[in-house]
Amino acid sequence: MNWDALDAGILGPALAAGLLVLLTHVPLGQQVLERGIVFIDLAIAQIAGLGVIAADALGLPEGGLAVQGAAVGAALLGALLLTWTEKRAPRQQEALIGVLFVLAACAGLLLLAGNPHGGEHLKDLLVGQILWVQPSQLGVLAAITALLLGAMALGLPRRLGRLGFYALFALAVTASVQLVGVYLVFSSLIVPALATTALRGRSRLVAGYAVGAAGYVLGLALSALLDWPTGAVVVWTLALCALAAAALLRRRAGPSAAMEAASHGAP
């Protein structure tokens, strides 16, 4: 292990990016599970990535406002389409989300087919570049995160119905996918939510944040020490932290459930 690789100058901004992503993705992930549309994050993230790929194919400056606009525009169009399909075919919504993901992924591959750096672009889209996040990117992500959290606190997604939820979701995913990649976006949304299904309300939210933060801290540290791909390691540490948390919550729930059952059975 290379202990010198634990450089706060590199790992600090990466951890800050991960924690900012978790702030919006943990509560949104819980809503995704409640709605039964688990793969929406993959689809929206892939569509946002397709917007980035399309902007690159048009020769727009990498990382510029035009590219960000293309990503947001593509994600919002995807959100509008999913809003329409949920009204027209609610029972098939999960399947339609999967189809949309596959179509967006294949469209990205077609756009990258003639690009000599296509493989590198695709890898960046999937696993992200969290170790190389810049302070300016953190500032933008922090501002977007604050706006999204404010909107959720005011209950705007519920007031605006399906469209409000999908639009908010699209903005959150677009803001994070270019930093952490599609795989970490999915994991940050779903894994903490799955780990805390035994809880409700604020305690579930706090536990979800704790699981996500532990996964990012351990993943970043291990990837630096072992010189392994950061995104892939963080996905695994998120999953392992989630398994540990779920097991702990089941053990805590066991005695209380037994006592409740005994009290109901008592004469």
Side-chain angles (χ1 to χ4, degrees), residues 5-64:
L6 296 177
D7 185 349
I10 296 177
L11 299 182
L15 178 59
L19 295 179
L20 284 171
V21 167
L22 288 171
L23 282 175
T24 54
H25 285 41
V26 169
L28 284 174
Q30 293 175 3
Q31 292 187 44
V32 164
L33 285 187
E34 291 173 3
R35 290 170 177 261
I37 46 176
V38 175
F39 294 107
I40 182 179
D41 47 348
L42 280 175
I44 294 294
Q46 193 68 53
I47 293 169
L50 177 61
V52 174
I53 292 172
D56 182 71
L58 293 172
L60 298 176
E62 184 177 353

Side-chain angles (χ1 to χ4, degrees), residues 15 18-30 145 148-149 152 188 191-193 195-196 199 201-217 238 241 245:
L15 178 59
L19 295 179
L20 284 171
V21 167
L22 288 171
L23 282 175
T24 54
H25 285 41
V26 169
L28 284 174
Q30 293 175 3
T145 299
L148 294 174
L149 289 175
M152 284 189 279
S188 299
V191 172
T196 56
L199 301 174
R202 186 178 296 275
S203 60
R204 185 183 184 189
L205 189 62
V206 172
Y209 282 138
V211 169
Y216 270 91
V217 169
L238 278 171
C241 288

Side-chain angles (χ1 to χ4, degrees), residues 25-247:
H25 285 41
V26 169
L28 284 174
Q30 293 175 3
Q31 292 187 44
V32 164
L33 285 187
E34 291 173 3
R35 290 170 177 261
I37 46 176
V38 175
F39 294 107
I40 182 179
D41 47 348
L42 280 175
I44 294 294
Q46 193 68 53
I47 293 169
L50 177 61
V52 174
I53 292 172
D56 182 71
L58 293 172
L60 298 176
E62 184 177 353
L65 290 177
V67 174
Q68 304 306 316
V72 172
L76 288 176
L77 285 175
L80 286 172
L81 178 60
L82 290 175
T83 303
W84 183 80
T85 58
E86 187 174 343
K87 291 179 180 178
R88 295 299 183 93
R91 293 185 179 180
Q92 291 80 37
Q93 180 72 351
E94 185 74 355
L96 291 170
I97 289 172
V99 171
L100 192 59
F101 165 75
V102 171
L103 289 174
C106 290
L109 289 174
L110 291 173
L111 288 174
L112 291 172
N115 189 329
H117 303 291
E120 183 179 347
H121 286 313
L122 186 60
K123 178 183 175 182
D124 290 342
L125 174 63
L126 294 176
V127 300
Q129 294 180 301
I130 191 172
L131 279 184
W132 312 117
V133 62
Q134 300 298 315
S136 59
Q137 293 175 301
L138 282 178
V140 172
L141 180 59
I144 295 174
T145 299
L147 289 173
L148 294 174
L149 289 175
M152 284 189 279
L154 293 173
L156 289 181
R158 296 189 183 278
R159 292 181 187 178
L160 298 176
R162 296 184 185 94
L163 180 58
F165 172 75
Y166 281 126
L168 187 78
F169 192 90
L171 292 174
V173 168
T174 303
S176 59
V177 71
Q178 296 178 66
L179 296 183
V180 302
V182 173
Y183 295 155
L184 265 178
V185 165
F186 179 80
S187 299
S188 299
L189 280 157
I190 301 303
V191 172
L194 278 175
T196 56
T197 52
L199 301 174
R200 293 291 181 271
R202 186 178 296 275
S203 60
R204 185 183 184 189
L205 189 62
V206 172
Y209 282 138
V211 169
Y216 270 91
V217 169
L218 290 174
L220 288 169
L222 282 175
S223 69
L225 290 172
L226 301 174
D227 195 24
W228 286 355
T230 305
V233 175
V234 176
V235 167
W236 270 96
T237 52
L238 278 171
L240 292 173
C241 288
L243 285 173

